[in-house]
C-alpha cells in the first residue's frame, strides 16, 4: 500500500516572495558593505498547507523561518524539531535539512535566505526553535515592520543602493531574534 502525500514548495494563495538573479547576487557579494550580510531570497507564506522543502546537500546560505501562526517542523542533519506559533529557527548553511507545515494546522511564516562573510555570526550554536513570547515589550509588530522594510527595499535590489539598505537593515532584523532581550529592553529604555 502506497500513501501519496502532497508536497508543495511554493505557489500558495497569498504568498509573497522575491529573489534576485544569481549573477547580480554574485556581483553584490563582492561589495565591501553588502558582501558582509545580505538577503538572497525573502518571503511570506500564509497558512501554507502541504508546504515542504528538502535540501539533502544543504545550501551555501542560511535561512530564518519565523512562524507567526500554526505550526510546522524542521529536520536538520537528521534531527527533527517542531516549530510552533511565535517561534523562529535558523537553518545553518552547509547542512542537510528539510522542513514543512503541519498537516492539520499549517504554519504562517516569514522567511529569508541570507548569506555573506558574517553569516556565521548569526547562526546559533544550537538549531533548536526559539520562542518569542508575546508581552507588553515583545515588539512583534516592530519586527514585522522591519521585515516589510527589507522586503520592499530588496524588491528594488536592481538598484545597488536599495540592496545596500536592505543589507544594513538585515543586521537589525536578525538581531531582533538573536538578541531578543536586548531588542525588547531597548524599546523599554526609549520611553
Amino acid at each position: 500500500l502506497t500513501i501519496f502525500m502532497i508536497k508543495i514548495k511554493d505557489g500558495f494563495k497569498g504568498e509573497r516572495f522575491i529573489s534576485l538573479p544569481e549573477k547580480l547576487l554574485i556581483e553584490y557579494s563582492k561589495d565591501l558593505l553588502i558582501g558582509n550580510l545580505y538577503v538572497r531570497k525573502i518571503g511570506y507564506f500564509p497558512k501554507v498547507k502541504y508546504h515542504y522543502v528538502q535540501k539533502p546537500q544543504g545550501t551555501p546560505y542560511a535561512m530564518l523561518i519565523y512562524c507567526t501562526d500554526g505550526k510546522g517542523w524542521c529536520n536538520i542533519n537528521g534531527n527533527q524539531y517542531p516549530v510552533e506559533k511565535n517561534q523562529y529557527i535558523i537553518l545553518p548553511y552547509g547542512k542537510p535539512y528539510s522542513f514543512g507545515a503541519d498537516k492539520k494546522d499549517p504554519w504562517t511564516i516569514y522567511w529569508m535566505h541570507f548569506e555573506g562573510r558574517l553569516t556565521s555570526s548569526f547562526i546559533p550554536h544550537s538549531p533548536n526553535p526559539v520562542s518569542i513570547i508575546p508581552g507588553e515589550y515583545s515588539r512583534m509588530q516592530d519586527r514585522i515592520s522591519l521585515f516589510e522594510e527589507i522586503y520592499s527595499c530588496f524588491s528594488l535590489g536592481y538598484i545597488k543602493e536599495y540592496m545596500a539598505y536592505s543589507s544594513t537593515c538585515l543586521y537589525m532584523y536578525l538581531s531582533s531574534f538573536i538578541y531578543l532581550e536586548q531588542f525588547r529592553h531597548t524599546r523599554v529604555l526609549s520611553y
Side-chain angles (χ1 to χ4, degrees), residues 66-69 84-88 110 130-148 173 176-177 180 183-184 187 191:
Y66 176 32
C67 179
T68 58
D69 199 16
E84 299 181 359
K85 179 179 178 177
N86 296 323
Q87 288 189 322
Y88 78 90
Y110 291 84
V130 177
S131 294
I132 300 175
I133 298 167
E136 184 179 357
Y137 302 111
S138 59
R139 298 184 67 189
M140 291 175 147
Q141 190 53 52
D142 291 348
R143 188 177 288 106
I144 300 300
S145 296
L146 191 52
F147 174 91
E148 293 298 340
Y173 184 69
S176 79
F177 292 99
L180 182 61
F183 181 67
R184 288 178 168 184
R187 177 64 176 228
Y191 287 113

Side-chain angles (χ1 to χ4, degrees), residues 109-172:
I109 57 172
Y110 291 84
W111 56 270
M112 67 173 54
H113 301 171
F114 63 95
E115 180 173 24
R117 291 181 287 274
L118 297 178
T119 299
S120 60
S121 299
F122 293 91
I123 308 287
H125 296 293
S126 168
N128 293 319
V130 177
S131 294
I132 300 175
I133 298 167
E136 184 179 357
Y137 302 111
S138 59
R139 298 184 67 189
M140 291 175 147
Q141 190 53 52
D142 291 348
R143 188 177 288 106
I144 300 300
S145 296
L146 191 52
F147 174 91
E148 293 298 340
E149 192 159 339
I150 294 168
Y151 186 94
S152 178
C153 279
F154 186 71
S155 72
L156 301 169
Y158 287 93
I159 300 168
K160 187 176 179 181
E161 289 76 13
Y162 282 99
M163 186 66 178
Y165 183 70
S166 72
S167 176
T168 56
C169 289
L170 181 56
Y171 286 90
M172 179 68 170

Side-chain angles (χ1 to χ4, degrees), residues 28-147:
Y28 286 155
S29 73
K30 297 173 187 170
D31 182 86
L32 290 176
L33 176 62
I34 299 169
N36 283 325
L37 188 68
Y38 59 94
V39 176
R40 293 184 52 84
K41 192 173 187 178
I42 184 170
Y44 167 75
F45 286 179
K47 287 288 184 189
V48 287
K49 196 171 186 178
Y50 308 120
H51 184 215
Y52 178 81
V53 173
Q54 184 173 16
K55 301 288 184 180
Q57 306 305 314
T59 60
Y61 52 81
M63 180 177 188
L64 177 130
I65 297 173
Y66 176 32
C67 179
T68 58
D69 199 16
K71 51 189 169 185
W73 57 270
C74 291
N75 189 309
I76 303 168
N77 235 9
N79 297 311
Q80 187 139 325
Y81 305 92
V83 180
E84 299 181 359
K85 179 179 178 177
N86 296 323
Q87 288 189 322
Y88 78 90
I89 189 167
I90 296 178
L91 307 176
Y93 57 88
K95 296 188 188 268
Y97 67 78
S98 59
F99 58 83
D102 184 78
K103 292 174 191 168
K104 294 179 183 172
D105 187 14
W107 59 14
T108 293
I109 57 172
Y110 291 84
W111 56 270
M112 67 173 54
H113 301 171
F114 63 95
E115 180 173 24
R117 291 181 287 274
L118 297 178
T119 299
S120 60
S121 299
F122 293 91
I123 308 287
H125 296 293
S126 168
N128 293 319
V130 177
S131 294
I132 300 175
I133 298 167
E136 184 179 357
Y137 302 111
S138 59
R139 298 184 67 189
M140 291 175 147
Q141 190 53 52
D142 291 348
R143 188 177 288 106
I144 300 300
S145 296
L146 191 52
F147 174 91

